[in-house]
Amino acid sequence: MSQHAEDENYKVTLDLGGMRCAACAANIERLLRGLPGVSEAAVNFATEKASVKFDPAAISVERITRAVNELGYEARVHAGEESDTRDREKRAREREIMIQKRYFLFSAALSLPLVLTMLGHLGRLPMPHVLMNPYFQMVLATPVQFGAGWQFYRGAYHTLRARMANMDVLVASGTSAAYFYSLAMAFTGGPLYFESSAIIITLVILGRYLEARAKGRTSEAIRKLANLRPATALVIRNGAEVEVPVASVEVGDVLVVRPGDRIPVDGVVTKGSSSVDESMLTGESVPVDKQPGDMVLGGTVNLHGSFEFEAKRVGKDTVLSQIVAMIEKAQESKAPVQRLADVVAGYFVPAVIGIALITFAAWLFLSRDVGRSLLNATAVLVIACPCALGLATPTAIMVGTGKGAEMGILIKGGEHLERAHSVNVVVLDKTGTITVGRPSVQDVIALEDQEHGERADQRGDDRTSAGGADRARAESQLIKIAASAEKPSEHPLGEALVREASARGISLVEAEEFEAVPGQGVKATVGGKRVLVGSARFLRANGVDLASAGDLGESLAAQGKTVLYVSEDGKLVGLVSVADTVKDGSVEAIEELAAMGIRVIMLTGDTKEAALAVAKRVGIRSEDVIAGVLPGEKAGRIQELRDAGSVVAMVGDGINDAPSLVQADVGMAIGTGTDIAMESADITLMKGDLRAVPQAIKLSRATMRVIKQNLFWAFIYNTLGIPLAALGYLSPVLAGAAMAMSSVSVVSNSLRLRRFKAGLPARRTSPRASPEGSDRVKDDHTV
């Protein structure tokens, strides 16, 4: 077993319940890290999950969960992304929302008369005598204090027993002080503060209710993805279509998909054809045509035709399940910016209790008024809840990664989302990243009888004239000869010729006596004539005179194209240029990155000439082209840029470029939706479109902007609120209202990211053949 596999076996994710604030998360994290055998532990307050790395020889999972339960919280092993697990989590969330709603309605009904008494005192308004009766107020306040408020006492008890403190301690101690002081005054005569304790509890419960609802919306994107998989599938069993649960589909099963159906699992089309909407996975709105042999993905929607396909990946192995798992992992991770908040939250509650005690003592010494002293100390305790601090970062990370998934941008963790916002250099691989990665025919030049003084020009000529028609026939004949000779070859350049013939509707001739000469070309007999297709050196070595081509070959090669010379029975009959074309969207993406102030560098193993030709077409400066770099050297070039002080994002195919993706500050893999390079890349761009690169960076910047706003308001709230409360300018009731709204405002601010739009320019299509836009295939494809 590999070390990586062992590490995975020793990790467990726990679902947590009963956390009230960031201090709760800090307490659980401190407890877990203190257990023998636990090497790492991270608790996320927003997702209510804990990730624990441990040595199974020293401690068991049962012992870990028991320790958390003994602390007064709920802990159970996370069962994964199965639908029943999600249903259980959804039910638990809905149950918590319903409980807090009932508590709020109960306490609000009893607190309303107490609010009237408070208004009567403030405005000196006449009130019914019964409302001013201390025993009546006590009857109303007691059920609120020990009924709806019992959850605070229970939480405070467990936390204090573990010699820790959290929000429950603050609320329970503050409201208890006001309640028991009022209780004493009810029998001895004096000012009453029953309304303060009751209203504080009501407002805190209202805040919890609104917070629970808002937190549920932060994971909306992942729930949408998880719900894409249909519950049932049509499987062919014993020659008949049978509807079965998706969970029972096995690899090798043949499934039937009808128009409008959602595809249940990943597989390969075996019969029929259709168009499939893959936008929910890739973010690409254009439907994708599917034919036999094409891959289809679970969760995507079949639009028109019916087809059958063979299941290749089921359950947790499907692309959809991998995406959901990746987003879950990202949402559970912590961004580095959160560390400060975690440290503050860990020491915050004990510090606030100390400030409250000092406030009480100072006011008692100055005013000799126990009631006022108690009120100000209570205001300090109530306003200082660190909930907003704990929610500031994780809620933004949750919404940001979820929005990214909707756009086809899969972000592995919060730290990568944070780091991407600082990127000032983007390094692009050429072949397969800027370019399509598959050679195609660019120019077809048929050399005609020189006595007529004619030479066919490139395919852009006007063919409406008789001469144009002649040239078209000559080009078609040249393609027929070359493609027929290359058909038995498996070389990418030969395949490009065969594809061109198919696109032109040209029927090929069976080649005989085929021979491939590695690195040079091919020989074959086509229609009784000896045909050579290959490099200039190859044809010269076989006695073919290339004088009739003039400088055409050199001119095309200077544009970064690979030139194939074609001869028939020893006579040169034409030239065909082949190149790897620029992808749609590459020009717009590079323009957008430049507009964002980001330097764009091309890093390629291809020749300098080929690289410069592509760079000129897409708008990369010649000084930013690094060519002729071997795969093993790319990581070193990335490190050189980092050593110079740049924050570097490397964009590649995620497989051949794996070392450089890992070496970069942020590795971005161009994905296709079926081969996701999750191991080496920090961010996977499922569209295979470079325009997703500036989208990902913009999303990172927007997310970090929201996080900084959240942290600013969370810190400023406590920085200003605690002194105001200690100085007597903030009543406990107003402190409770402010505290309740602070968490809701932070989560609401994070939810604004759901409306994020990248604002990229409209899609343009790169020309198929252009002297500047053509690319050259990699050296190992050159003949």
Side-chain angles (χ1 to χ4, degrees):
M1 181 182 291
S2 68
Q3 183 61 45
H4 175 70
E6 289 179 356
D7 289 344
E8 288 301 315
N9 286 337
Y10 298 161
K11 285 182 181 178
V12 65
T13 298
L14 303 179
D15 293 326
L16 302 174
M19 289 196 297
R20 305 301 186 189
C21 63
C24 294
N27 290 341
I28 297 174
E29 194 169 284
R30 193 181 307 123
L31 169 77
L32 291 172
R33 288 178 176 175
L35 293 175
V38 173
S39 55
E40 294 179 14
V43 177
N44 190 310
F45 175 47
T47 60
E48 297 183 328
K49 285 182 171 58
S51 177
V52 186
K53 187 175 180 181
F54 65 101
D55 179 3
I59 191 170
S60 66
V61 175
E62 292 76 17
R63 174 69 186 91
I64 294 172
T65 56
R66 188 166 67 250
V68 177
N69 291 328
E70 289 172 353
L71 190 58
Y73 302 97
E74 301 168 12
R76 60 177 177 275
V77 177
H78 182 64
E81 76 281 352
E82 290 77 6
S83 59
D84 58 337
T85 303
R86 299 196 183 283
D87 289 342
R88 186 173 64 246
E89 292 177 351
K90 182 181 179 182
R91 288 194 300 270
R93 189 183 311 111
E94 290 175 346
R95 184 171 62 252
E96 174 65 17
I97 292 173
M98 183 57 64
I99 289 172
Q100 297 303 331
K101 182 179 180 180
R102 288 173 179 170
Y103 277 145
F104 168 69
L105 293 175
F106 171 77
S107 59
L110 294 175
S111 299
L112 183 58
L114 297 174
V115 173
L116 295 177
T117 66
M118 182 179 67
L119 294 176
H121 282 301
L122 293 175
R124 302 189 181 281
L125 300 175
M127 285 288 162
H129 180 71
V130 68
L131 291 181
M132 310 308 293
N133 186 294
Y135 301 110
F136 180 75
Q137 292 184 23
M138 181 180 66
V139 169
L140 292 175
T142 301
V144 176
Q145 186 72 35
F146 300 106
W150 184 249
Q151 55 185 309
F152 302 113
Y153 286 103
R154 183 175 61 247
Y157 166 74
H158 287 293
T159 307
L160 291 173
R161 192 179 65 171
R163 297 181 181 178
M164 299 177 183
N166 66 352
M167 170 191 168
D168 288 334
V169 174
L170 297 179
V171 175
S173 58
T175 58
S176 294
Y179 174 83
F180 285 110
Y181 178 79
S182 300
L183 185 64
M185 292 299 101
F187 292 102
T188 61
L192 302 176
Y193 301 106
F194 284 122
E195 77 281 357
S196 295
S197 62
I199 295 171
I200 288 170
I201 288 174
T202 302
L203 290 173
V204 172
I205 292 174
L206 174 62
R208 284 190 176 180
Y209 166 68
L210 295 175
E211 180 186 312
R213 288 188 58 185
K215 281 169 64 178
R217 292 165 60 198
T218 60
S219 57
E220 189 172 300
I222 197 171
R223 286 200 302 275
K224 285 181 180 177
L225 280 173
N227 292 333
L228 289 179
R229 189 177 69 173
T232 61
L234 280 177
V235 181
I236 297 179
R237 299 268 170 89
N238 299 321
E241 295 180 9
V242 181
E243 188 171 359
V244 300
V246 169
S248 67
V249 176
E250 299 178 355
V251 173
D253 281 344
V254 176
L255 295 86
V256 178
V257 182
R258 295 170 178 163
D261 285 353
R262 199 174 286 280
I263 298 169
V265 296
D266 297 356
V268 175
V269 177
T270 56
K271 182 180 178 181
S273 61
S274 184
S275 293
V276 175
D277 179 4
E278 297 183 344
S279 60
M280 60 286 298
L281 294 185
T282 66
E284 180 59 71
S285 59
V286 179
V288 182
D289 292 334
K290 299 294 182 181
Q291 305 287 341
D294 290 338
M295 193 79 182
V296 290
L297 303 177
T300 57
V301 178
N302 179 33
L303 296 179
H304 303 300
S306 297
F307 63 88
E308 297 178 5
F309 74 98
E310 181 183 349
K312 294 295 184 181
R313 291 192 291 257
V314 301
K316 65 180 181 179
D317 296 324
T318 64
V319 169
L320 176 60
S321 294
Q322 290 181 52
I323 291 172
V324 171
M326 184 176 182
I327 300 170
E328 281 188 331
K329 185 176 181 181
Q331 293 185 344
E332 292 166 15
S333 66
K334 288 188 178 183
V337 72
Q338 191 176 343
R339 292 171 186 160
L340 175 61
D342 287 346
V343 171
V344 172
Y347 295 99
F348 194 75
V349 175
V352 168
I353 293 173
I355 294 172
L357 292 174
I358 293 172
T359 299
F360 176 79
W363 273 99
L364 186 60
F365 175 77
L366 294 173
S367 67
R368 306 296 179 181
D369 186 337
V370 176
R372 187 176 182 185
S373 304
L374 197 61
L375 219 58
N376 292 337
T378 299
V380 170
L381 291 171
V382 173
I383 200 169
C385 171
C387 291
L389 201 59
L391 291 169
T393 299
T395 53
I397 294 293
M398 289 173 70
V399 181
T401 52
K403 183 63 181 179
E406 292 178 5
M407 299 166 62
I409 300 169
L410 305 184
I411 303 167
K412 187 178 284 187
E415 65 273 22
H416 310 304
L417 184 64
E418 177 181 342
R419 199 178 302 127
H421 96 284
S422 301
V423 166
N424 53 24
V425 173
V426 170
V427 178
L428 303 176
D429 177 47
K430 181 175 74 68
T431 305
T433 302
I434 298 176
T435 65
V436 174
R438 187 176 73 171
S440 61
V441 172
Q442 299 299 305
D443 307 292
V444 181
I445 304 174
L447 302 176
E448 298 179 347
D449 190 347
Q450 297 301 308
E451 293 179 3
H452 296 92
E454 293 182 349
R455 176 181 291 156
D457 282 330
Q458 299 178 14
R459 62 173 62 193
D461 289 342
D462 179 9
R463 293 177 181 167
T464 58
S465 65
D470 289 341
R471 282 192 291 274
R473 283 193 293 271
E475 288 180 9
S476 296
Q477 182 61 24
L478 178 61
I479 288 292
K480 182 174 184 175
I481 294 169
S484 296
E486 287 277 11
K487 188 175 181 182
S489 171
E490 295 182 353
H491 197 282
L493 299 182
E495 292 175 352
L497 288 171
V498 174
R499 284 195 303 273
E500 180 69 16
S502 177
R504 290 174 176 239
I506 299 172
S507 299
L508 301 183
V509 179
E510 193 71 28
E512 300 175 348
E513 300 176 1
F514 173 82
E515 179 187 354
V517 181
Q520 298 186 52
V522 299
K523 303 176 181 179
T525 299
V526 178
K529 297 182 178 182
R530 192 62 175 166
V531 174
L532 301 179
V533 182
S535 65
R537 183 178 62 180
F538 176 59
L539 268 69
R540 288 194 187 100
N542 284 274
V544 179
D545 183 7
L546 306 184
S548 59
D551 60 356
L552 279 173
E554 289 79 2
S555 175
L556 293 171
Q559 297 169 15
K561 302 174 183 179
T562 298
V563 182
L564 302 177
Y565 292 80
V566 184
S567 71
E568 194 174 51
D569 284 342
K571 178 184 178 181
L572 183 66
V573 294
L575 298 82
V576 179
S577 74
V578 180
D580 182 9
T581 55
V582 172
K583 278 184 179 181
D584 289 349
S586 292
V587 175
E588 294 93 322
I590 291 167
E591 288 176 351
E592 187 68 16
L593 289 169
M596 294 165 63
I598 296 174
R599 180 187 176 194
V600 181
I601 294 175
M602 179 194 295
L603 183 64
T604 178
D606 213 338
T607 63
K608 188 76 172 179
E609 294 77 13
L612 288 173
V614 176
K616 184 179 180 181
R617 173 65 181 87
V618 299
I620 297 176
R621 299 180 305 174
S622 59
E623 57 265 34
D624 287 331
V625 174
I626 305 174
V629 181
L630 297 175
E633 299 173 346
K634 286 186 177 181
R637 294 300 183 98
I638 296 292
Q639 187 58 47
E640 288 175 9
L641 291 169
R642 294 182 65 192
D643 291 342
S646 299
V647 180
V648 181
M650 171 68 193
V651 186
D653 62 16
I655 301 172
N656 298 329
D657 299 303
S660 50
L661 288 171
V662 173
Q663 191 64 45
D665 293 290
V666 180
M668 297 187 183
I670 294 287
T672 62
T674 57
D675 184 17
I676 303 172
M678 294 184 181
E679 292 302 318
S680 57
D682 304 317
I683 300 175
T684 300
L685 311 174
M686 293 192 65
K687 291 182 186 179
D689 187 333
L690 267 188
R691 282 173 294 193
V693 175
Q695 283 182 332
I697 296 173
K698 284 185 174 183
L699 176 62
S700 170
R701 290 180 176 180
T703 304
M704 286 306 300
R705 198 157 48 242
V706 168
I707 288 174
K708 289 175 181 177
Q709 290 168 357
N710 287 349
L711 288 173
F712 171 80
W713 287 113
F715 277 115
I716 205 72
Y717 160 80
N718 283 307
T719 302
L720 296 178
I722 293 175
L724 287 174
L727 293 172
Y729 293 112
L730 209 57
S731 73
V733 172
L734 289 178
M739 185 272 289
M741 292 301 105
S742 64
S743 300
V744 179
S745 63
V746 163
V747 178
S748 299
N749 191 44
S750 296
L751 288 172
R752 292 190 303 113
L753 285 168
R754 296 193 303 176
R755 300 194 298 271
F756 170 81
K757 293 181 180 178
L760 287 177
R763 187 173 192 137
R764 296 205 303 262
T765 302
S766 301
R768 186 172 183 271
S770 168
E772 297 84 16
S774 303
D775 190 3
R776 181 177 182 178
V777 295
K778 288 189 175 180
D779 292 342
D780 59 344
H781 290 169
T782 305
V783 296

